[in-house]
Amino acid sequence: MKTLPQQSKKHRIVIVGGGAGGLELATRLGNTLGKRQQAEIILVDTALTHIWKPLLHEVAAGTLNSYEDELNYFAHANQHHFEFFLGRLQDIDRAAKEIVLDVLRDEEGKEIAPERRIGYDTLVMAIGSTSNDFGTAGAKEHCIFLDSRPQADRFQREFLSMYLEAQANSLMHKHQNQLNIAIIGAGATGVELAAELHHAANEFSKYGLNSIDPQDVHISLIEAAPRILPALNERVSQRAQKELEDIGVKVLTHCRVHRIDANTVFCEGDLNIAATLKVWSAGIKAPDFLNHIAGLETNRINQLVVGPTLQTSLDEDIFAMGDCACYIPQGQERPVPPRAQVANQEAIFLAKALRNRIQGKALGSFVFKDKGSLVSLSQHSSVGSIFNNINVEGFMARLMYVSLYRFHQVALHGVFRTGLMMMKDMLSKGASPKLKMH
Ligand SMILES: Cc1cc2nc3c(=O)[nH]c(=O)nc-3n(C[C@H](O)[C@H](O)[C@H](O)COP(=O)(O)OP(=O)(O)OC[C@H]3O[C@@H](n4cnc5c(N)ncnc54)[C@H](O)[C@@H]3O)c2cc1C
C-alpha cells in the first residue's frame, strides 16, 4: 500500500467526489487557498471526467452527447491550482487521518495502481447518491439506473439498438413495431426522462429510423404516490401531468411496483405493464459502503449526519455535503433535499468556512435558501415553482431551467469562458445531428 506523502506543512484539504458540489468546492478553494499557496487542495474521483448529473436524462435519450459536455478533471485541476487523483474511496482511517483508495484497474481489469492512502487535515465527503430500489424484486437485474454517465450511455445504446433492430425486422417481415418503456418513479428525473424520450422518438423518425412510429413508442411513468412530482406543489404536478399526457405518456399514480422481470413491471393490485426498457428513478440513497464508515454516524439511507457547519456529528475534521450528507436544519423535521441547488449552496458555504477554519476563525452556519424547483419537459417546455411558490411554466421556465446548468459552468469556468462555451454550443447545434446515433 502506498501513502501520498505530505509535500509541505501546508494544511491539506481532501475532497472526495467531483460532482455538482465537490467540483465547485475544489475549484473555489483552488482559486483562493491553492493559488495563494495557503493550503494544498486535493480532489479524488472515480472518473476521469465530470458531467453535471442533471443532464443524465438527456444523455440517456441521446439528445445530448455526453462527450461534448464533459470536463476533464486533470486539465481543470491544473488551471485552478488543485491536484486531482483518480481513484475510488473505500475507507477512512480516522486514527491516521488518511483516506484509503481501492486498487485502480483499467477497463480490462489490469492493475494500474495499488491500494493507496492520502493523508488529510480536513476531509470533505461529496460522493453523491445512487438510486434506491428499496429491495424491489428484479429491479437490479432488469432496470437501468441513471446514477452515472456509463449507465446513461448504456440506456442510450439499448434505446438505439431497439430502433436498429426494429428497422432490420421491418425490412425482413414488414410487421408493425412498437416499443414499450417503463419509468418507475415520477420525481423530477422520471418526468424529465419521459418527456425527453418522447422528443427523441420524434427525432429518430426524422433521421430515417421510422420503422417504429413515434406513436408506437409507449412510455409509462409509474408512481406510488397519489401524484407525480410529489416534492413540488400540486399545481406544478397537475400541469406536468397534463403536458405529459398531451404528448402521449401514460401516467400511472397510486401504483406501487413490487416485482419486475425481463418484460413486465408488476404493480400491486394486479396491474402488469409490459416493458422492454425499464428505468428505475424512484428514490435515492448514499452508497452502501458509507453505512457507519469509520464509525461515523449515518442515517437509514447511509447519508453522513452533519450539523450546521457541515461537520460530521462525530468528527470535526470530516465534513460532508450534497446528496451523501444529511443535514436537518434546527426546528425542521426534514433534511435539506438531495438537489444540485443544495450542493451548489453548500460548496459556496464550505469554500468560505474552510478558509475560516485555516485562519482559526468561526465557520458559521449553513442556511439553505430554497430558490424553487424547475422540471424540464424536453425542448418545448418546463414547469416549476420559484422562490415562495410562484409557479412558472413554458418558455420563461425553460429559460430558467437552462440557466441552472450555465450557473454551474460559471462556478467552474468563470463568466468569460462560459460565454465562449455558450457560443460554441449554439454554433455546433446547427452543425451536428440533434440526436446521438452511435
Ligand atoms: C437524471 C437526473 C436529473 C436530475 N435533475 C436535477 C435537477 O433538475 N435539479 C436538481 O437540483 N437536481 C437534479 N438532480 C439531482 C442532482 O444531480 C444531485 O442532487 C447533485 O448532483 C448532487 O451533487 P453531489 O455533489 O452531492 O453528487 P454528484 O453530483 O452525484 O457527484 C458525486 C461524485 O462523486 C464521485 N464518487 C462517487 N463515489 C465515489 C467514491 N467511492 N470515490 C470517489 N469518488 C466517488 C462520482 O463519480 C461523482 O463525480 C438530478 C439527478 C439525476 C440523476
Side-chain angles (χ1 to χ4, degrees), residues 16-22 44-47 53-54 56-57 73 87-89 126-129 146 189 192 289 321-324 338-341 343 374 401:
V16 186
V44 178
D45 201 284
T46 51
K53 213 173 167 185
L56 288 184
H57 64 281
Y73 284 120
R88 178 176 296 278
L89 175 106
I127 61 172
S129 61
L146 286 190
T189 306
E192 290 182 343
F289 78 92
M321 65 183 300
D323 286 7
C324 73
R339 298 217 306 256
Q341 186 190 151
L374 293 162
Y401 179 85

mmCIF file of all heavy atoms in Angstrom, residues 16-22 44-47 53-54 56-57 73 87-89 126-129 146 189 192 289 321-324 338-341 343 374 401, ligand 1:
data_model
loop_
_atom_site.group_PDB
_atom_site.id
_atom_site.type_symbol
_atom_site.label_atom_id
_atom_site.label_comp_id
_atom_site.label_asym_id
_atom_site.label_seq_id
_atom_site.Cartn_x
_atom_site.Cartn_y
_atom_site.Cartn_z
ATOM 1 N N VAL A 16 -13.505 14.326 -1.596
ATOM 2 C CA VAL A 16 -13.760 13.069 -2.309
ATOM 3 C C VAL A 16 -15.100 13.201 -3.039
ATOM 4 O O VAL A 16 -16.146 13.349 -2.407
ATOM 5 C CB VAL A 16 -13.799 11.862 -1.349
ATOM 6 C CG1 VAL A 16 -13.926 10.568 -2.143
ATOM 7 C CG2 VAL A 16 -12.547 11.819 -0.500
ATOM 8 N N GLY A 17 -15.043 13.140 -4.369
ATOM 9 C CA GLY A 17 -16.242 13.285 -5.195
ATOM 10 C C GLY A 17 -16.243 14.619 -5.917
ATOM 11 O O GLY A 17 -16.363 15.670 -5.290
ATOM 12 N N GLY A 18 -16.084 14.561 -7.238
ATOM 13 C CA GLY A 18 -16.020 15.799 -8.037
ATOM 14 C C GLY A 18 -17.304 16.011 -8.817
ATOM 15 O O GLY A 18 -17.291 16.169 -10.034
ATOM 16 N N GLY A 19 -18.453 16.004 -8.115
ATOM 17 C CA GLY A 19 -19.736 16.205 -8.789
ATOM 18 C C GLY A 19 -20.200 17.641 -8.670
ATOM 19 O O GLY A 19 -19.403 18.581 -8.582
ATOM 20 N N ALA A 20 -21.545 17.809 -8.641
ATOM 21 C CA ALA A 20 -22.141 19.141 -8.605
ATOM 22 C C ALA A 20 -21.577 19.967 -7.444
ATOM 23 O O ALA A 20 -21.293 21.158 -7.598
ATOM 24 C CB ALA A 20 -23.654 19.013 -8.470
ATOM 25 N N GLY A 21 -21.376 19.340 -6.275
ATOM 26 C CA GLY A 21 -20.878 20.076 -5.119
ATOM 27 C C GLY A 21 -19.363 20.048 -5.004
ATOM 28 O O GLY A 21 -18.708 21.087 -4.893
ATOM 29 N N GLY A 22 -18.773 18.833 -5.039
ATOM 30 C CA GLY A 22 -17.337 18.673 -4.776
ATOM 31 C C GLY A 22 -16.460 19.407 -5.780
ATOM 32 O O GLY A 22 -15.450 20.014 -5.407
ATOM 33 N N VAL A 44 -10.497 13.893 -5.351
ATOM 34 C CA VAL A 44 -10.444 12.474 -5.751
ATOM 35 C C VAL A 44 -11.771 12.110 -6.402
ATOM 36 O O VAL A 44 -12.839 12.452 -5.876
ATOM 37 C CB VAL A 44 -10.246 11.569 -4.507
ATOM 38 C CG1 VAL A 44 -10.230 10.097 -4.908
ATOM 39 C CG2 VAL A 44 -8.971 11.936 -3.761
ATOM 40 N N ASP A 45 -11.733 11.452 -7.534
ATOM 41 C CA ASP A 45 -12.972 10.949 -8.134
ATOM 42 C C ASP A 45 -12.681 9.635 -8.847
ATOM 43 O O ASP A 45 -11.555 9.366 -9.260
ATOM 44 C CB ASP A 45 -13.572 11.960 -9.119
ATOM 45 C CG ASP A 45 -15.067 11.705 -9.350
ATOM 46 O OD1 ASP A 45 -15.419 10.757 -10.080
ATOM 47 O OD2 ASP A 45 -15.891 12.454 -8.770
ATOM 48 N N THR A 46 -13.751 8.846 -9.015
ATOM 49 C CA THR A 46 -13.598 7.535 -9.671
ATOM 50 C C THR A 46 -13.506 7.673 -11.194
ATOM 51 O O THR A 46 -13.109 6.739 -11.869
ATOM 52 C CB THR A 46 -14.825 6.641 -9.395
ATOM 53 O OG1 THR A 46 -15.984 7.402 -9.729
ATOM 54 C CG2 THR A 46 -14.910 6.218 -7.972
ATOM 55 N N ALA A 47 -13.931 8.816 -11.701
ATOM 56 C CA ALA A 47 -13.944 9.007 -13.161
ATOM 57 C C ALA A 47 -12.883 10.027 -13.562
ATOM 58 O O ALA A 47 -12.416 10.808 -12.744
ATOM 59 C CB ALA A 47 -15.315 9.477 -13.600
ATOM 60 N N LYS A 53 -24.738 15.978 -13.264
ATOM 61 C CA LYS A 53 -25.705 14.873 -13.175
ATOM 62 C C LYS A 53 -27.115 15.215 -13.704
ATOM 63 O O LYS A 53 -27.750 14.364 -14.335
ATOM 64 C CB LYS A 53 -25.775 14.402 -11.719
ATOM 65 C CG LYS A 53 -26.031 12.926 -11.577
ATOM 66 C CD LYS A 53 -25.921 12.528 -10.122
ATOM 67 C CE LYS A 53 -26.464 11.146 -9.891
ATOM 68 N NZ LYS A 53 -26.479 10.787 -8.473
ATOM 69 N N PRO A 54 -27.634 16.432 -13.477
ATOM 70 C CA PRO A 54 -28.973 16.710 -14.017
ATOM 71 C C PRO A 54 -29.070 16.642 -15.548
ATOM 72 O O PRO A 54 -30.159 16.748 -16.099
ATOM 73 C CB PRO A 54 -29.267 18.133 -13.513
ATOM 74 C CG PRO A 54 -28.478 18.255 -12.263
ATOM 75 C CD PRO A 54 -27.214 17.491 -12.535
ATOM 76 N N LEU A 56 -28.108 13.907 -17.127
ATOM 77 C CA LEU A 56 -28.035 12.487 -17.492
ATOM 78 C C LEU A 56 -29.263 11.963 -18.242
ATOM 79 O O LEU A 56 -29.146 11.063 -19.062
ATOM 80 C CB LEU A 56 -27.776 11.619 -16.250
ATOM 81 C CG LEU A 56 -26.369 11.702 -15.665
ATOM 82 C CD1 LEU A 56 -26.218 10.733 -14.502
ATOM 83 C CD2 LEU A 56 -25.304 11.430 -16.722
ATOM 84 N N HIS A 57 -30.453 12.545 -17.979
ATOM 85 C CA HIS A 57 -31.630 12.050 -18.719
ATOM 86 C C HIS A 57 -31.506 12.416 -20.200
ATOM 87 O O HIS A 57 -31.989 11.694 -21.059
ATOM 88 C CB HIS A 57 -32.932 12.578 -18.104
ATOM 89 C CG HIS A 57 -33.083 14.059 -18.188
ATOM 90 N ND1 HIS A 57 -32.450 14.918 -17.328
ATOM 91 C CD2 HIS A 57 -33.771 14.824 -19.053
ATOM 92 C CE1 HIS A 57 -32.756 16.154 -17.645
ATOM 93 N NE2 HIS A 57 -33.553 16.132 -18.696
ATOM 94 N N TYR A 73 -10.948 16.309 -15.468
ATOM 95 C CA TYR A 73 -10.517 16.700 -14.119
ATOM 96 C C TYR A 73 -9.054 17.144 -14.084
ATOM 97 O O TYR A 73 -8.717 18.125 -13.422
ATOM 98 C CB TYR A 73 -10.697 15.533 -13.140
ATOM 99 C CG TYR A 73 -12.122 15.278 -12.700
ATOM 100 C CD1 TYR A 73 -12.723 14.048 -12.947
ATOM 101 C CD2 TYR A 73 -12.852 16.231 -12.015
ATOM 102 C CE1 TYR A 73 -14.018 13.783 -12.525
ATOM 103 C CE2 TYR A 73 -14.152 15.978 -11.590
ATOM 104 C CZ TYR A 73 -14.728 14.751 -11.851
ATOM 105 O OH TYR A 73 -16.013 14.491 -11.434
ATOM 106 N N GLY A 87 -9.390 7.660 -8.428
ATOM 107 C CA GLY A 87 -9.467 6.521 -7.500
ATOM 108 C C GLY A 87 -10.816 6.452 -6.823
ATOM 109 O O GLY A 87 -11.570 7.426 -6.812
ATOM 110 N N ARG A 88 -11.101 5.285 -6.291
ATOM 111 C CA ARG A 88 -12.383 5.067 -5.591
ATOM 112 C C ARG A 88 -12.133 4.965 -4.097
ATOM 113 O O ARG A 88 -11.364 4.105 -3.648
ATOM 114 C CB ARG A 88 -13.025 3.780 -6.106
ATOM 115 C CG ARG A 88 -14.341 3.408 -5.421
ATOM 116 C CD ARG A 88 -14.954 2.179 -6.043
ATOM 117 N NE ARG A 88 -15.309 2.428 -7.428
ATOM 118 C CZ ARG A 88 -16.425 3.032 -7.826
ATOM 119 N NH1 ARG A 88 -17.306 3.436 -6.934
ATOM 120 N NH2 ARG A 88 -16.667 3.220 -9.101
ATOM 121 N N LEU A 89 -12.750 5.859 -3.327
ATOM 122 C CA LEU A 89 -12.618 5.787 -1.871
ATOM 123 C C LEU A 89 -13.272 4.501 -1.378
ATOM 124 O O LEU A 89 -14.391 4.181 -1.784
ATOM 125 C CB LEU A 89 -13.316 6.979 -1.208
ATOM 126 C CG LEU A 89 -13.324 6.908 0.306
ATOM 127 C CD1 LEU A 89 -12.332 7.888 0.885
ATOM 128 C CD2 LEU A 89 -14.690 7.153 0.872
ATOM 129 N N ALA A 126 -18.069 14.135 -0.630
ATOM 130 C CA ALA A 126 -19.044 14.683 -1.596
ATOM 131 C C ALA A 126 -19.319 13.633 -2.665
ATOM 132 O O ALA A 126 -19.303 13.942 -3.856
ATOM 133 C CB ALA A 126 -18.493 15.968 -2.207
ATOM 134 N N ILE A 127 -19.586 12.396 -2.233
ATOM 135 C CA ILE A 127 -19.656 11.304 -3.216
ATOM 136 C C ILE A 127 -21.065 11.042 -3.756
ATOM 137 O O ILE A 127 -21.292 10.079 -4.468
ATOM 138 C CB ILE A 127 -19.040 9.984 -2.683
ATOM 139 C CG1 ILE A 127 -19.799 9.501 -1.449
ATOM 140 C CG2 ILE A 127 -17.563 10.144 -2.388
ATOM 141 C CD1 ILE A 127 -19.368 8.108 -1.009
ATOM 142 N N GLY A 128 -22.014 11.940 -3.447
ATOM 143 C CA GLY A 128 -23.329 11.862 -4.080
ATOM 144 C C GLY A 128 -24.170 10.684 -3.620
ATOM 145 O O GLY A 128 -23.986 10.138 -2.527
ATOM 146 N N SER A 129 -25.094 10.284 -4.484
ATOM 147 C CA SER A 129 -26.040 9.225 -4.121
ATOM 148 C C SER A 129 -26.228 8.263 -5.285
ATOM 149 O O SER A 129 -25.779 8.530 -6.402
ATOM 150 C CB SER A 129 -27.397 9.851 -3.783
ATOM 151 O OG SER A 129 -27.887 10.543 -4.917
ATOM 152 N N LEU A 146 -30.057 5.624 -13.484
ATOM 153 C CA LEU A 146 -29.364 6.769 -14.110
ATOM 154 C C LEU A 146 -28.488 7.481 -13.078
ATOM 155 O O LEU A 146 -28.679 8.655 -12.805
ATOM 156 C CB LEU A 146 -30.388 7.752 -14.690
ATOM 157 C CG LEU A 146 -31.108 7.351 -15.957
ATOM 158 C CD1 LEU A 146 -31.886 8.536 -16.518
ATOM 159 C CD2 LEU A 146 -30.139 6.835 -17.020
ATOM 160 N N THR A 189 -36.496 13.374 -12.075
ATOM 161 C CA THR A 189 -35.730 12.580 -13.042
ATOM 162 C C THR A 189 -36.650 11.787 -13.968
ATOM 163 O O THR A 189 -36.486 11.803 -15.188
ATOM 164 C CB THR A 189 -34.792 11.602 -12.298
ATOM 165 O OG1 THR A 189 -33.993 12.360 -11.393
ATOM 166 C CG2 THR A 189 -33.890 10.860 -13.242
ATOM 167 N N GLU A 192 -38.671 14.157 -16.335
ATOM 168 C CA GLU A 192 -37.805 14.735 -17.375
ATOM 169 C C GLU A 192 -37.417 13.674 -18.407
ATOM 170 O O GLU A 192 -37.398 13.938 -19.607
ATOM 171 C CB GLU A 192 -36.545 15.340 -16.735
ATOM 172 C CG GLU A 192 -36.861 16.594 -15.930
ATOM 173 C CD GLU A 192 -35.646 17.258 -15.304
ATOM 174 O OE1 GLU A 192 -34.594 16.607 -15.210
ATOM 175 O OE2 GLU A 192 -35.760 18.432 -14.910
ATOM 176 N N PHE A 289 -21.502 1.466 1.087
ATOM 177 C CA PHE A 289 -20.277 1.328 1.900
ATOM 178 C C PHE A 289 -20.129 2.466 2.916
ATOM 179 O O PHE A 289 -19.325 2.394 3.836
ATOM 180 C CB PHE A 289 -19.027 1.221 1.005
ATOM 181 C CG PHE A 289 -18.549 2.528 0.451
ATOM 182 C CD1 PHE A 289 -17.590 3.275 1.129
ATOM 183 C CD2 PHE A 289 -19.049 3.013 -0.732
ATOM 184 C CE1 PHE A 289 -17.142 4.484 0.628
ATOM 185 C CE2 PHE A 289 -18.610 4.228 -1.257
ATOM 186 C CZ PHE A 289 -17.660 4.968 -0.571
ATOM 187 N N MET A 321 -21.154 16.921 2.268
ATOM 188 C CA MET A 321 -22.013 17.857 1.532
ATOM 189 C C MET A 321 -22.767 17.125 0.416
ATOM 190 O O MET A 321 -22.411 16.014 0.039
ATOM 191 C CB MET A 321 -21.159 18.965 0.903
ATOM 192 C CG MET A 321 -20.208 18.431 -0.152
ATOM 193 S SD MET A 321 -19.120 19.696 -0.869
ATOM 194 C CE MET A 321 -20.280 20.825 -1.570
ATOM 195 N N GLY A 322 -23.777 17.790 -0.112
ATOM 196 C CA GLY A 322 -24.514 17.237 -1.257
ATOM 197 C C GLY A 322 -25.365 16.038 -0.865
ATOM 198 O O GLY A 322 -25.760 15.862 0.291
ATOM 199 N N ASP A 323 -25.599 15.170 -1.844
ATOM 200 C CA ASP A 323 -26.533 14.050 -1.655
ATOM 201 C C ASP A 323 -26.085 13.048 -0.594
ATOM 202 O O ASP A 323 -26.915 12.297 -0.077
ATOM 203 C CB ASP A 323 -26.698 13.275 -2.971
ATOM 204 C CG ASP A 323 -27.537 14.020 -3.991
ATOM 205 O OD1 ASP A 323 -27.872 15.188 -3.740
ATOM 206 O OD2 ASP A 323 -27.849 13.427 -5.040
ATOM 207 N N CYS A 324 -24.772 12.992 -0.287
ATOM 208 C CA CYS A 324 -24.328 11.979 0.681
ATOM 209 C C CYS A 324 -24.394 12.491 2.115
ATOM 210 O O CYS A 324 -23.984 11.793 3.040
ATOM 211 C CB CYS A 324 -22.916 11.469 0.345
ATOM 212 S SG CYS A 324 -21.597 12.640 0.705
ATOM 213 N N PRO A 338 -31.980 16.350 -1.582
ATOM 214 C CA PRO A 338 -30.820 15.981 -2.408
ATOM 215 C C PRO A 338 -30.931 16.609 -3.799
ATOM 216 O O PRO A 338 -31.394 15.980 -4.737
ATOM 217 C CB PRO A 338 -30.930 14.445 -2.475
ATOM 218 C CG PRO A 338 -32.388 14.163 -2.274
ATOM 219 C CD PRO A 338 -32.972 15.268 -1.481
ATOM 220 N N ARG A 339 -30.518 17.864 -3.902
ATOM 221 C CA ARG A 339 -30.658 18.569 -5.175
ATOM 222 C C ARG A 339 -29.369 19.299 -5.529
ATOM 223 O O ARG A 339 -28.577 19.654 -4.646
ATOM 224 C CB ARG A 339 -31.801 19.592 -5.083
ATOM 225 C CG ARG A 339 -33.155 18.952 -4.811
ATOM 226 C CD ARG A 339 -34.276 19.648 -5.543
ATOM 227 N NE ARG A 339 -34.331 21.071 -5.301
ATOM 228 C CZ ARG A 339 -35.214 21.668 -4.508
ATOM 229 N NH1 ARG A 339 -36.101 20.951 -3.858
ATOM 230 N NH2 ARG A 339 -35.216 22.963 -4.368
ATOM 231 N N ALA A 340 -29.189 19.578 -6.811
ATOM 232 C CA ALA A 340 -27.986 20.259 -7.272
ATOM 233 C C ALA A 340 -27.873 21.644 -6.625
ATOM 234 O O ALA A 340 -26.779 22.113 -6.303
ATOM 235 C CB ALA A 340 -28.022 20.381 -8.787
ATOM 236 N N GLN A 341 -29.030 22.270 -6.424
ATOM 237 C CA GLN A 341 -29.068 23.597 -5.807
ATOM 238 C C GLN A 341 -28.459 23.597 -4.394
ATOM 239 O O GLN A 341 -27.740 24.508 -4.002
ATOM 240 C CB GLN A 341 -30.545 24.004 -5.751
ATOM 241 C CG GLN A 341 -30.807 25.373 -5.290
ATOM 242 C CD GLN A 341 -32.307 25.582 -5.042
ATOM 243 O OE1 GLN A 341 -32.652 26.379 -4.210
ATOM 244 N NE2 GLN A 341 -33.190 24.888 -5.721
ATOM 245 N N ALA A 343 -26.283 21.280 -3.262
ATOM 246 C CA ALA A 343 -24.840 21.009 -3.402
ATOM 247 C C ALA A 343 -24.100 22.299 -3.756
ATOM 248 O O ALA A 343 -23.023 22.580 -3.212
ATOM 249 C CB ALA A 343 -24.625 19.944 -4.477
ATOM 250 N N LEU A 374 -37.332 23.510 -10.848
ATOM 251 C CA LEU A 374 -37.815 23.540 -12.225
ATOM 252 C C LEU A 374 -37.649 22.159 -12.823
ATOM 253 O O LEU A 374 -36.662 21.474 -12.561
ATOM 254 C CB LEU A 374 -37.006 24.555 -13.038
ATOM 255 C CG LEU A 374 -37.216 26.011 -12.622
ATOM 256 C CD1 LEU A 374 -36.094 26.871 -13.145
ATOM 257 C CD2 LEU A 374 -38.557 26.523 -13.112
ATOM 258 N N TYR A 401 -34.588 27.083 -16.482
ATOM 259 C CA TYR A 401 -34.054 25.719 -16.331
ATOM 260 C C TYR A 401 -32.678 25.623 -16.990
ATOM 261 O O TYR A 401 -31.720 25.122 -16.397
ATOM 262 C CB TYR A 401 -35.026 24.701 -16.948
ATOM 263 C CG TYR A 401 -34.523 23.281 -16.838
ATOM 264 C CD1 TYR A 401 -34.753 22.530 -15.696
ATOM 265 C CD2 TYR A 401 -33.779 22.709 -17.873
ATOM 266 C CE1 TYR A 401 -34.261 21.240 -15.582
ATOM 267 C CE2 TYR A 401 -33.282 21.416 -17.765
ATOM 268 C CZ TYR A 401 -33.536 20.685 -16.621
ATOM 269 O OH TYR A 401 -33.031 19.415 -16.515
HETATM 270 C C1 LIG B 1 -31.114 12.274 -14.173
HETATM 271 C C2 LIG B 1 -31.026 13.250 -13.020
HETATM 272 C C3 LIG B 1 -31.613 14.508 -13.160
HETATM 273 C C4 LIG B 1 -31.525 15.425 -12.097
HETATM 274 N N1 LIG B 1 -32.081 16.667 -12.266
HETATM 275 C C5 LIG B 1 -31.945 17.583 -11.293
HETATM 276 C C6 LIG B 1 -32.469 18.900 -11.465
HETATM 277 O O1 LIG B 1 -33.060 19.209 -12.492
HETATM 278 N N2 LIG B 1 -32.287 19.796 -10.453
HETATM 279 C C7 LIG B 1 -31.630 19.468 -9.297
HETATM 280 O O2 LIG B 1 -31.486 20.322 -8.415
HETATM 281 N N3 LIG B 1 -31.131 18.245 -9.096
HETATM 282 C C8 LIG B 1 -31.271 17.287 -10.065
HETATM 283 N N4 LIG B 1 -30.756 16.024 -9.877
HETATM 284 C C9 LIG B 1 -30.078 15.735 -8.597
HETATM 285 C C10 LIG B 1 -28.647 16.291 -8.636
HETATM 286 O O3 LIG B 1 -27.996 15.791 -9.779
HETATM 287 C C11 LIG B 1 -27.898 15.905 -7.381
HETATM 288 O O4 LIG B 1 -28.616 16.360 -6.257
HETATM 289 C C12 LIG B 1 -26.495 16.508 -7.357
HETATM 290 O O5 LIG B 1 -25.746 16.082 -8.477
HETATM 291 C C13 LIG B 1 -25.775 16.111 -6.068
HETATM 292 O O6 LIG B 1 -24.474 16.612 -6.108
HETATM 293 P P1 LIG B 1 -23.305 15.875 -5.316
HETATM 294 O O7 LIG B 1 -22.090 16.718 -5.485
HETATM 295 O O8 LIG B 1 -23.752 15.536 -3.947
HETATM 296 O O9 LIG B 1 -23.110 14.486 -6.054
HETATM 297 P P2 LIG B 1 -22.858 14.135 -7.585
HETATM 298 O O10 LIG B 1 -23.086 15.282 -8.463
HETATM 299 O O11 LIG B 1 -23.606 12.885 -7.835
HETATM 300 O O12 LIG B 1 -21.290 13.800 -7.598
HETATM 301 C C14 LIG B 1 -20.745 12.723 -6.874
HETATM 302 C C15 LIG B 1 -19.337 12.471 -7.396
HETATM 303 O O13 LIG B 1 -18.690 11.538 -6.535
HETATM 304 C C16 LIG B 1 -17.971 10.584 -7.296
HETATM 305 N N5 LIG B 1 -17.890 9.367 -6.478
HETATM 306 C C17 LIG B 1 -18.880 8.522 -6.145
HETATM 307 N N6 LIG B 1 -18.418 7.539 -5.370
HETATM 308 C C18 LIG B 1 -17.098 7.765 -5.181
HETATM 309 C C19 LIG B 1 -16.055 7.091 -4.470
HETATM 310 N N7 LIG B 1 -16.284 5.971 -3.755
HETATM 311 N N8 LIG B 1 -14.809 7.601 -4.524
HETATM 312 C C20 LIG B 1 -14.543 8.731 -5.242
HETATM 313 N N9 LIG B 1 -15.487 9.415 -5.929
HETATM 314 C C21 LIG B 1 -16.751 8.936 -5.895
HETATM 315 C C22 LIG B 1 -18.820 10.424 -8.568
HETATM 316 O O14 LIG B 1 -18.023 9.950 -9.653
HETATM 317 C C23 LIG B 1 -19.302 11.856 -8.791
HETATM 318 O O15 LIG B 1 -18.412 12.592 -9.623
HETATM 319 C C24 LIG B 1 -30.847 15.075 -10.899
HETATM 320 C C25 LIG B 1 -30.274 13.805 -10.774
HETATM 321 C C26 LIG B 1 -30.371 12.895 -11.812
HETATM 322 C C27 LIG B 1 -29.738 11.518 -11.661
#
